């Protein structure tokens, strides 16, 4: 009996790995997240039992219930797929689920997925690294910015790109801390909502404008010089707009 922790990519079923598609077709039970699109779910074996365990951010009890469900299924079902958005080990609590399953003696296999941290900027035409503009990229969560986990002021570096997941709600605080840490208020920002889905759109603004910008989760915030680029201008699928 095996539980496969599978990355579903950012949205579009075309961005699944071949291994993920095969495992979905062969699964006897699938436990999936809230943001998994209908096209991806349609690849699940029609005879498989499905568990939609979508939870809203911050529900720690829900995570405990998911862990218990996985342990229960892993003990009696031959092929279980735990399907998670993006990559299972990027802010998906996949590592925690793998540890819990292993500690119960259940065989776990992990299948990487394309993370929204990199797919969302790319689909909006923003290369996260670019010769002469950005020497590297830092990926962080914005969800606990008012707590002690991420000190954004310490991440202010004009030579690097900052990619923030789960940062929509705290975007004003994130921007304020980055400016306090030394980033110019004029630093370019791209906010990519619902990447790789038909609701995808990209807002361009400055760091100073970010707090008041009208954006909705799920979104990836891309902060740094590269956010002014649009190397995919030839493509017309992405709606892009800028603040006046
Ligand atoms: C709990 S994290 C999971 C990340 C996921 N494991 C990954 O690798 O993409 C959820 C956050 O990922 C980002 N996200 C996931 N899918 C997205 C998408 N299609 N478009 C934009 N942001 C997305 C958002 O910041 C969202 O709040």
């Amino acid at each position: 009996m095996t539980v496969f922790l599978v990355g579903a990519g950012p949205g579009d079923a075309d961005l699944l790995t071949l291994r993920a598609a095969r495992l979905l077709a062969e699964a006897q039970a699938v436990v999936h997240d809230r943001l998994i699109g209908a096209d991806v779910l349609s690849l699940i074996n029609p005879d498989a039992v499905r568990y939609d365990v979508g939870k809203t951010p911050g529900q720690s009890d829900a995570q405990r219930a998911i862990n218990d469900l996985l342990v229960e299924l892993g003990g009696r079902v031959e092929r279980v797929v735990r399907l998670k958005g993006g990559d299972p080990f990027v802010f998906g609590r996949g590592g925690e689920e793998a540890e819990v399953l292993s500690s119960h003696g259940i065989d776990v296999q992990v299948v990487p997925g394309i993370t929204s941290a990199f797919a969302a900027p790319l689909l909006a035409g923003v290369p996260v690294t670019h010769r002469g503009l950005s020497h590297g990229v830092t990926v962080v969560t914005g969800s606990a910015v008012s707590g002690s986990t991420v000190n954004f002021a310490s991440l202010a570096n004009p030579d690097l790109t900052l990619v923030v997941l789960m940062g929509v709600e705290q975007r004003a605080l994130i921007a304020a801390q980055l400016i306090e840490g030394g980033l110019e208020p004029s630093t370019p920002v791209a906010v990519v909502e619902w990447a790789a889905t038909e609701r995808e759109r990209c807002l361009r603004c400055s760091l100073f404008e970010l707090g008041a910008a009208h954006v909705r989760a799920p979104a990836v915030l891309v902060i740094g010089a590269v956010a002014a680029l649009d190397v995919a201008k030839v493509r017309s699928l992405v709606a892009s707009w800028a603040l006046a």
Side-chain angles (χ1 to χ4, degrees):
M1 278 176 278
T2 301
V3 176
F4 297 88
L5 292 183
V6 177
D12 191 336
D14 276 1
L15 295 176
L16 275 178
T17 61
L18 293 176
R19 190 181 299 176
R22 179 174 55 77
L23 289 170
L24 288 176
E26 293 171 352
Q28 286 142 0
V30 176
V31 180
H32 67 84
D33 280 348
R34 186 170 58 102
L35 293 179
I36 308 289
D39 286 357
V40 173
L41 296 179
S42 73
L43 300 174
I44 296 173
N45 168 11
D47 296 329
V49 184
R50 294 182 192 200
Y51 301 84
D52 178 353
V53 294
K55 58 184 183 335
T56 46
Q59 277 183 284
S60 54
D61 287 357
Q63 185 60 50
R64 212 164 301 129
I66 292 169
N67 293 349
D68 291 347
L69 174 64
L70 291 175
V71 169
E72 194 266 316
L73 291 173
R76 70 177 169 83
V77 178
E78 200 58 43
R79 294 172 81 79
V80 180
V81 168
R82 170 65 173 120
L83 188 62
K84 304 178 78 70
D87 183 276
F89 280 4
V90 177
F91 300 124
R93 301 186 75 166
E96 182 181 320
E97 292 174 7
E99 281 182 337
V100 169
L101 287 161
S102 295
S103 73
H104 283 79
I106 295 165
D107 182 46
V108 187
Q109 289 189 29
V110 189
V111 180
I114 297 177
T115 178
S116 64
F118 294 146
L122 178 150
L123 291 168
V126 176
V128 288
T129 65
H130 199 72
R131 185 180 283 261
L133 279 186
S134 170
H135 305 304
V137 52
T138 306
V139 179
V140 291
T141 172
S143 65
V145 69
S146 52
S148 58
T149 49
V150 179
N151 174 357
F152 276 86
S154 73
L155 297 177
N157 182 338
D159 296 327
L160 299 179
T161 304
L162 193 57
V163 170
V164 186
L165 272 59
M166 296 173 280
V168 168
E169 206 175 311
Q170 301 285 359
R171 62 194 181 283
L173 199 50
I174 291 168
Q177 286 188 12
L178 286 170
I179 290 170
E180 184 191 313
L183 278 192
E184 290 295 334
S186 59
T187 301
V189 176
V191 182
V192 191
E193 296 174 358
W194 288 104
T197 74
E198 55 197 19
R199 297 163 73 179
E200 175 175 305
R201 46 181 212 166
C202 175
L203 166 75
R204 310 283 184 145
C205 64
S206 69
L207 191 55
F208 179 75
E209 295 167 320
L210 177 61
H214 293 288
V215 289
R216 285 162 300 180
V220 168
L221 317 182
V222 190
I223 302 167
V226 292
L229 300 179
D230 183 355
V231 298
K233 277 208 169 77
V234 288
R235 222 165 40 84
S236 60
L237 289 177
V238 183
S240 207
W241 78 100
L243 291 181

